[in-house]
Amino acid sequence: MHLLHHILGVLLLLSLRTPASSAATDTVSPGHALADSDRLVSNNSKFALGFFKPSSESSSYTSNNSYLGIWFNKVPKLTPLWTANGDNPVMDPTSPELTISSDGNLAILDKTTRSIIWSTRANITANDSIAVLLNSGNLILQSSSNSSNIFWQSFDHPTDTLFAGAKIGWDKVTGLNRRLVSRKNVIDQAPGIYSLELDLNGDGHLLWNSTVAYWSSGDWNIKGRYFSLAPEMIGAAMPNFTFVNNSQAQEVYFTYTLHDETAIVHTGIDVFGRGLVGVWLDSIQNWLINYRQPLHHCDVYAICGAFTICSDTEDPLTPSCDCMKGFSIRSPKDWEIKDRTGGCMRNTPLGCGSSKEEKTGLTDKFYSVQSIRLPHNAQDVQSATSGDECSQVCLSNCSCTAYSYGKAVALFGMMSCIM
């Protein structure tokens, strides 16, 4: 979808250097754990797995939390592609290790207490399981005596990146939904509020909070091998795309392969809910972003949070968000690490619903804002026939914080966000 139009990709712009390595194997086996600066490296040396602490080149904030992740081994700028424990980080001073637990699962342990921080929680049917980082970047848990006996794989549990050869879509038998989910911000690796996924009909969508679609791929064009609303998928420089939706496979999914397996192409969904394609260039020692969708930041639903105004600028990396008149940033720290979803808060409480004794003498008024979109849950009030009447209708309802008037129809509702 765009490349899933989205074949998306990338960059969380983490400025960490790739963690140093004291291990050069691709396997974790019973009795041989991965700890501290150790890492697994795939046989083709393209991918690495280990513990890392995120930091950002655009802010002074660093994290005291450790995550287990997969990244490009030869790219000096750490770009996490998959994270195991995004919603349950290892907090200092805990020292973690990755090991095969007594039940055969792959687990992150607190080395001091031996408590489990994260586990694959697979149904293990053998007592000889090992974990291997494949050349594709897929981390698998398998039987050491029978490599075809796979108990668990990271490709079935993606975070914000679509690996070449991995799938986005549904297993209609098991109900497994493989989808991409943005990270909370450039420091916190927890799941964010934006996702890229296929519906059961095979159409791709970018979603806010799993409910509001702000981009759709359209139907798959079998002959052209692209999604109807993603013509950019056509081109000699684009990967090989495959879309499957049939009753025999009992799956509906999208995947792609690279023309050149040595190329370092990062595709995913960023913290701002946009799909990107990034290619690493050694000549500039940086990522070249050659595709992004939606094109404009402000086309992403609720990108700036409540009571804000989003303005599209020439900055391709960060949206321009400003508080509306009478509001201030709710969390300046979050804004600095590129998390604007908390939006802005009201400087002066509304008098609506207050008794005469509680009122301060201030009168609630409306402030006119131009070129603002209505929220998806706006209510239609047919009885209002003028702008003044719209104002009075809204003032009489404490859940109404804004209104728009036009053609003798007033629209009002809880404006959780103005885009």
Side-chain angles (χ1 to χ4, degrees):
M1 295 179 184
H2 277 121
L3 235 211
L4 217 261
H5 222 210
H6 296 137
I7 169 165
L8 322 166
V10 166
L11 278 217
L12 292 184
L13 294 180
L14 296 179
S15 61
L16 275 191
R17 293 196 175 186
T18 302
S21 171
S22 57
T25 179
D26 64 352
T27 303
V28 172
S29 57
H32 295 84
L34 190 78
D36 302 322
S37 61
D38 293 347
R39 63 180 176 178
L40 302 185
V41 178
S42 59
N43 278 335
N44 62 359
S45 298
K46 189 171 186 177
F47 299 99
L49 175 144
F51 292 100
F52 69 94
K53 291 183 178 181
S55 65
S56 172
E57 63 184 13
S58 61
S59 77
S60 59
Y61 292 103
T62 58
S63 175
N64 292 321
N65 297 332
S66 294
Y67 300 91
L68 177 72
I70 297 172
W71 59 84
F72 288 114
N73 183 44
K74 295 182 179 180
V75 173
K77 284 190 175 183
L78 179 65
T79 306
L81 310 174
W82 177 83
T83 305
N85 59 320
D87 53 1
N88 190 24
V90 181
M91 292 181 258
D92 286 347
T94 300
S95 182
E97 69 177 9
L98 182 66
T99 186
I100 301 295
S101 61
S102 58
D103 64 358
N105 274 284
L106 186 64
I108 300 174
L109 296 182
D110 179 335
K111 287 199 296 184
T112 303
T113 65
R114 307 306 295 173
S115 60
I116 296 177
I117 297 170
W118 171 88
S119 171
T120 52
R121 297 182 179 179
N123 182 20
I124 308 297
T125 58
N127 60 0
D128 62 344
S129 56
I130 59 173
V132 182
L133 181 61
L134 302 181
N135 287 341
S136 62
N138 191 12
L139 177 65
I140 65 171
L141 184 66
Q142 66 176 51
S143 167
S144 61
S145 59
N146 182 5
S147 59
S148 63
N149 192 6
I150 298 176
F151 309 123
W152 178 93
Q153 59 178 347
S154 62
F155 273 13
D156 282 340
H157 307 275
T159 49
D160 65 341
T161 296
L162 178 61
F163 287 76
K167 301 175 182 177
I168 285 183
W170 290 84
D171 183 321
K172 298 179 181 179
V173 177
T174 65
L176 175 65
N177 179 19
R178 306 177 188 91
R179 61 182 191 140
L180 303 187
V181 180
S182 65
R183 301 177 193 268
K184 190 175 187 302
N185 54 55
V186 296
I187 298 295
D188 192 340
Q189 302 294 287
I193 60 175
Y194 298 106
S195 61
L196 169 65
E197 50 192 285
L198 292 183
D199 60 29
L200 290 173
N201 294 321
D203 293 345
H205 303 281
L206 276 174
L207 300 173
W208 169 83
N209 207 26
S210 299
T211 56
V212 180
Y214 55 91
W215 175 88
S216 297
S217 69
D219 297 331
W220 179 256
N221 182 311
I222 298 177
K223 294 183 179 180
R225 302 188 66 78
Y226 65 93
F227 287 99
S228 60
L229 299 181
E232 297 86 350
M233 294 174 66
I234 303 173
M238 301 300 281
N240 299 309
F241 299 104
T242 301
F243 175 75
V244 173
N245 186 12
N246 58 61
S247 57
Q248 294 178 345
Q250 294 184 310
E251 285 185 290
V252 52
Y253 67 86
F254 172 89
T255 187
Y256 73 97
T257 57
L258 299 174
H259 296 293
D260 179 4
E261 291 297 330
T262 64
I264 299 178
V265 178
H266 184 187
T267 71
I269 182 172
D270 67 14
V271 296
F272 299 121
R274 295 203 298 172
L276 305 171
V277 179
V279 179
W280 178 259
L281 297 181
D282 285 328
S283 58
I284 62 174
Q285 285 293 287
N286 210 339
W287 292 98
L288 174 64
I289 306 300
N290 53 26
Y291 180 82
R292 64 182 78 249
Q293 179 67 27
L295 182 62
H296 301 293
H297 278 114
C298 297
D299 287 335
V300 177
Y301 186 82
I303 192 171
C304 290
F307 302 112
T308 60
I309 296 177
C310 178
S311 302
D312 283 311
T313 66
E314 294 182 357
D315 183 354
L317 300 178
T318 306
S320 175
C321 301
D322 296 296
C323 292
M324 299 178 67
K325 185 177 180 179
F327 295 81
S328 58
I329 297 173
R330 183 176 298 276
S331 175
K333 178 180 178 180
D334 286 342
W335 277 44
E336 186 171 342
I337 53 178
K338 301 183 183 298
D339 182 3
R340 311 292 167 83
T341 56
C344 300
M345 58 184 180
R346 193 180 300 276
N347 295 332
T348 304
L350 291 176
C352 185
S354 302
S355 66
K356 292 182 179 180
E357 291 76 16
E358 292 174 328
K359 290 188 176 181
T360 62
L362 296 176
T363 302
D364 295 337
K365 295 181 179 180
F366 291 100
Y367 173 62
S368 178
V369 183
Q370 302 296 321
S371 304
I372 297 298
R373 299 174 186 171
L374 293 170
H376 76 283
N377 61 344
Q379 300 176 30
D380 191 350
V381 183
Q382 298 291 345
S383 60
T385 58
S386 68
D388 289 340
E389 188 171 351
C390 282
S391 175
Q392 292 304 313
V393 170
C394 193
L395 282 174
S396 66
N397 186 336
C398 290
S399 66
C400 180
T401 55
Y403 72 87
S404 175
Y405 174 78
K407 296 183 180 179
V409 175
L411 295 172
F412 78 101
M414 291 188 65
M415 300 289 279
S416 59
C417 180
I418 297 178
M419 294 289 288

